[in-house]
Amino acid sequence: MTEATDTTGSSAGRPISACLFGVPGAHLNLGVGALRAATLGGLLAREPGAQVTVFDDGWGQRAGHTFVAGRPVPISLAGARHSRRYHRPESYLNMRISAALGGLGNAGLARIDAADVVLDVSGGDSFSDIYGEHRFRTVTWPKRLALLRRRPLVLLPQTYGPFRSARLRAEAAALVRGARAAWARDPESFAALADLLGPDLDPSRHREGVDVAFGLEPRVPDEPAYQRLAGWFEADPGPVAGINVSGLIARPEGRARFGLTGDTAEVATRLCERLLDRSEARVIIVPHVLTPNGADDDRSASERLYATLAPRYGDRVYLVPSGLDPHQSKWAIARTSWFCGMRMHATIAALSSGVPAAVVAYSDKARGVFASVGQRAHVADARRLAGADLLDALWASWTGRAAAAAELAVRAPAAIARAAAQMDEFVALARTERDRRHPAGVR
């Protein structure tokens, strides 16, 4: 039996212990949820006995679960926050002070100290200062704590930068240099990583990979959502276009923040109308960030789009039911004929399922991911395109979906295989660190 397929739970008789950071709000942001679920699913499929703690934005220590091959598997949850409630043990500053004073019984810090490896994915694209310094601090605190406690830090495939501040860029570079390994999720992200490290780039530690969400397993939705979704998909054998509207860039403040040149919500409406008027396609609307009463809630933006279309097009338009997890959302997206997303991980769910997709991009991050599977031509940059130009770019993606599907038939399985291979490497590294830490347990 090979190391990668060992199902004993440990190659050395002792389960590995791991912490996972960078996935807060996974139940609300299905993209972050996909990163969390794919990482945990891959790790626990290879090390069923692994003791895994996921640090989230909850409070205290709790029991949780993840899905491995469709079955729930228990994990541990621990709260961790960049919070002004410094008296709370979940506060990163409290952890830092506790560390300086010998631990002081801080449960989160104890989990880090017990870990053979600390995994950090930075929400996929948040190791940057473009979202503000507070978000940068939230993302960097776990890395600082791992290095402070001398625990091996592994930066999972992610985007590095951009950085507007030279000071914050220098901080980021120091953290990456201190990591046991750092992976980028596409060629452009790797180029940014190489630029960040300069002469300290080490090919044995700094690697190019793929977004871990390429390895996310789809899962059939629970009832009654399954019957509703399956019934709608099966009601007509014609093509289905999936649409994801981002609440983040559907509002004027969000568009101004990223320098977008037009009304993306209006373009989404016009795209759906064109699809429904000029083709036999039906349209399914798929929210991917769910923050009730939040400024960037996809659900509210999706409901507005549905309310605009339904009176005219009836049951040719459908809004995905609430309550789907990342696995289940991918199951729904995988059943579309073409997908247009404003959230990148919604489009990764499509691409990794072999579904042709276009992305309405508000930053450079989508370009590299799409290029990694030969789909760069399907990136519609909303910073440069607006109105009719943006609509025409998306329509060209729809009409060119057959060629895109043929390319994805080759490129998507290769990306999924790379996601599996890099997960083998992450687990092998964790086993090595465990054996280094507990040499008496090596057989």
Side-chain angles (χ1 to χ4, degrees):
M1 182 173 292
T2 67
E3 188 81 348
T5 58
D6 184 359
T7 57
T8 64
S10 168
S11 62
R14 182 187 187 111
I16 63 174
S17 175
C19 293
L20 175 60
F21 282 96
V23 287
H27 62 298
L28 300 175
N29 185 322
L30 298 187
V32 174
L35 294 171
R36 167 174 154 171
T39 300
L40 295 175
L43 172 61
L44 290 167
R46 290 160 176 78
E47 280 273 335
Q51 299 170 353
V52 183
T53 299
V54 176
F55 284 80
D56 62 7
D57 49 3
W59 299 104
Q61 311 287 306
R62 290 152 287 128
H65 73 274
T66 192
F67 286 93
V68 180
R71 295 186 175 184
V73 174
I75 58 171
S76 297
L77 302 174
R81 297 181 173 221
H82 181 28
S83 170
R84 293 182 179 179
R85 300 182 185 182
Y86 306 136
H87 64 285
R88 294 284 315 190
E90 298 86 0
S91 164
Y92 284 124
L93 184 59
N94 187 296
M95 292 187 201
R96 175 65 181 87
I97 294 171
S98 296
L101 299 176
L104 292 182
N106 186 292
L109 192 65
R111 299 273 181 153
I112 296 173
D113 287 345
D116 298 315
V117 65
V118 175
L119 307 173
D120 192 330
V121 72
S122 305
D125 69 343
S126 295
F127 199 2
S128 169
D129 63 5
I130 63 171
Y131 301 105
E133 185 165 351
H134 186 274
R135 178 89 162 264
F136 176 82
R137 296 296 172 202
T138 300
V139 167
T140 56
W141 259 118
K143 301 169 180 61
R144 294 168 59 191
L145 287 170
L147 297 180
L148 176 69
R149 304 306 285 177
R150 295 183 171 83
R151 305 313 315 130
L153 172 65
V154 176
L155 302 179
L156 298 178
Q158 57 190 274
T159 299
Y160 296 86
F163 298 100
R164 295 168 176 165
S165 163
R167 172 177 55 87
L168 298 183
R169 176 185 168 86
E171 287 188 36
L175 293 170
V176 175
R177 290 188 184 98
R180 173 66 176 79
W183 289 65
R185 64 182 179 182
D186 58 68
E188 293 193 12
S189 296
F190 183 74
L193 173 62
D195 182 63
L196 186 66
L197 288 168
D200 294 320
L201 183 74
D202 179 352
S204 69
R205 296 168 50 216
H206 308 127
R207 307 279 296 280
E208 179 190 324
V210 297
D211 193 293
V212 294
F214 273 93
L216 180 69
E217 295 181 339
R219 186 170 73 88
V220 172
D222 301 324
E223 298 291 1
Y226 171 73
Q227 289 297 332
R228 293 163 60 189
L229 275 164
W232 187 83
F233 276 114
E234 294 167 5
D236 188 313
V240 173
I243 304 293
N244 161 247
V245 185
S246 166
L248 177 65
I249 60 174
R251 56 193 180 91
E253 298 89 345
R255 295 195 294 271
R257 178 180 179 183
F258 294 103
L260 307 192
T261 57
D263 188 336
T264 53
E266 175 63 21
V267 169
T269 301
R270 291 171 62 192
L271 174 63
C272 291
E273 290 172 341
R274 184 179 289 191
L275 286 162
L276 293 161
D277 289 338
R278 298 189 187 181
S279 77
E280 298 301 314
R282 295 179 297 154
V283 170
I284 186 167
I285 305 168
V286 187
H288 220 243
V289 171
L290 314 167
T291 54
N293 302 317
D296 63 347
D297 181 35
D298 289 7
R299 189 83 198 176
S300 296
S302 298
E303 288 172 348
R304 289 193 294 271
L305 177 59
Y306 178 77
T308 298
L309 300 172
R312 180 177 174 186
Y313 299 103
D315 59 9
R316 289 183 65 199
V317 183
Y318 191 71
L319 176 61
V320 165
S322 299
L324 302 190
D325 68 18
H327 302 274
Q328 296 166 331
S329 181
K330 182 171 183 175
W331 178 92
I333 290 170
R335 276 149 183 76
T336 62
S337 310
W338 174 81
F339 190 82
C340 175
M342 297 184 188
R343 300 286 188 178
M344 195 184 72
H345 274 97
T347 62
I348 289 177
L351 296 173
S352 61
S353 302
V355 173
V359 61
V360 178
Y362 61 86
S363 71
D364 292 337
K365 64 181 180 180
R367 187 175 59 199
V369 170
F370 269 63
S372 70
V373 287
Q375 302 298 301
R376 184 168 178 171
H378 296 267
V379 177
D381 193 332
R383 297 169 300 179
R384 299 177 177 87
L385 300 174
D389 292 334
L390 181 56
L391 177 61
D392 287 345
L394 299 174
W395 184 253
S397 177
W398 160 257
T399 57
R401 66 190 183 280
E407 179 77 10
L408 283 171
V410 177
R411 300 291 290 269
I416 293 168
R418 288 186 69 189
Q422 70 189 18
M423 186 59 67
D424 289 342
E425 294 197 47
F426 303 150
V427 172
L429 189 154
R431 289 169 175 161
T432 297
E433 295 297 340
R434 173 207 57 200
D435 295 347
R436 193 194 317 275
R437 195 178 194 195
H438 305 285
V442 179
R443 289 187 294 218

